[in-house]
Amino acid sequence: MTTDDPNFAPYPGRYEVARIKGIPPNEDPVLLDITGEADVQERIDKIREIVERGPIPDGGLSWNHESRVVTVRLVAAVDGTSPEVERLKEEVLAEAEEFTVEFQEDLTVEFQSVAYSRQELLDLADHIFFSVAPGRQIAGGWSTSENRVEVLIGEGDDETQTLIEALDDKRIVIQIVPPGPWEVL
């Protein structure tokens, strides 16, 4: 099998493995794994699919590779009071357990209740960053961990205060930053 996908390459060490086992080398391309976390990322992607197709609006996922914790944010109480949330949690935890059994590595999942859905905040970020007048020093994006849209505004702009007032929304966190060599929108 050959592929033109740059994310695939021949299995490294295939000739040594084949020589030791006394078999022909496997020439099929395998997924490149620069970080060493391709298996974990594949499982996280499966967890994301479970959450996205679930009945509860999702507030985003994050992965902490140091603690090996996947945080699943849901726009619902995660305290055991909702049967729908509990079913979703069971399905996610089963996926994580399957990884633990298959790879003999822990994959911890934590659930967090948040106020806003991922889609709501992504839509808000798109609205903010694509409707600001060209030439303004503004940047930012959706913050999964904050469950808000973070907006960075360059200080010293004549219209900074007007922009701050226009962005008065509990879903937005504003940070004033020193002017710099920003790429202008």
Side-chain angles (χ1 to χ4, degrees), residues 120-134 136 138-142 148-153 163 166-169 171-174 185:
E120 177 182 357
L121 295 175
L122 287 172
D123 291 346
L124 178 60
D126 284 349
H127 174 72
I128 292 168
F129 298 112
F130 292 112
S131 65
V132 172
R136 299 298 316 274
I138 182 172
W142 167 54
R148 300 284 189 275
V149 174
E150 291 183 319
V151 178
L152 308 174
I153 300 173
L163 187 55
L167 295 174
D168 184 22
D169 185 316
R171 300 170 297 171
I172 300 171
V173 175
I174 297 174
L185 295 175

Side-chain angles (χ1 to χ4, degrees), residues 88-105:
L88 181 63
K89 286 169 62 175
E90 286 174 14
E91 192 174 349
V92 167
L93 291 171
E95 189 65 43
E97 179 62 26
E98 191 176 307
F99 175 85
T100 299
V101 169
E102 184 177 342
F103 294 101
Q104 317 291 290
E105 293 181 47

Side-chain angles (χ1 to χ4, degrees), residues 39-182:
D39 295 331
V40 173
Q41 188 57 55
E42 184 177 314
R43 196 57 53 134
I44 292 168
D45 290 344
K46 288 181 181 179
I47 289 171
R48 179 178 287 111
E49 289 172 14
I50 291 168
V51 173
E52 286 178 355
R53 74 170 184 264
I56 311 301
D58 95 87
L61 255 65
S62 61
W63 163 246
N64 183 321
H65 71 277
E66 291 174 358
S67 64
R68 302 192 59 75
V69 173
V70 177
T71 302
V72 176
R73 292 169 183 81
L74 299 171
V75 184
V78 295
D79 59 3
T81 58
S82 166
E84 283 184 320
V85 171
E86 292 308 303
R87 279 191 294 278
L88 181 63
K89 286 169 62 175
E90 286 174 14
E91 192 174 349
V92 167
L93 291 171
E95 189 65 43
E97 179 62 26
E98 191 176 307
F99 175 85
T100 299
V101 169
E102 184 177 342
F103 294 101
Q104 317 291 290
E105 293 181 47
D106 285 335
L107 179 64
T108 303
V109 179
E110 293 179 353
F111 296 90
Q112 185 179 61
S113 181
V114 295
Y116 310 107
S117 75
R118 174 180 56 87
Q119 192 59 55
E120 177 182 357
L121 295 175
L122 287 172
D123 291 346
L124 178 60
D126 284 349
H127 174 72
I128 292 168
F129 298 112
F130 292 112
S131 65
V132 172
R136 299 298 316 274
Q137 288 198 10
I138 182 172
W142 167 54
S143 171
T144 308
S145 61
E146 294 292 323
N147 193 238
R148 300 284 189 275
V149 174
E150 291 183 319
V151 178
L152 308 174
I153 300 173
E155 78 180 355
D157 188 324
D158 293 338
E159 297 179 21
T160 298
Q161 191 57 41
T162 305
L163 187 55
I164 290 171
E165 290 168 8
L167 295 174
D168 184 22
D169 185 316
K170 60 187 175 190
R171 300 170 297 171
I172 300 171
V173 175
I174 297 174
Q175 293 183 32
I176 307 300
V177 295
W182 295 29

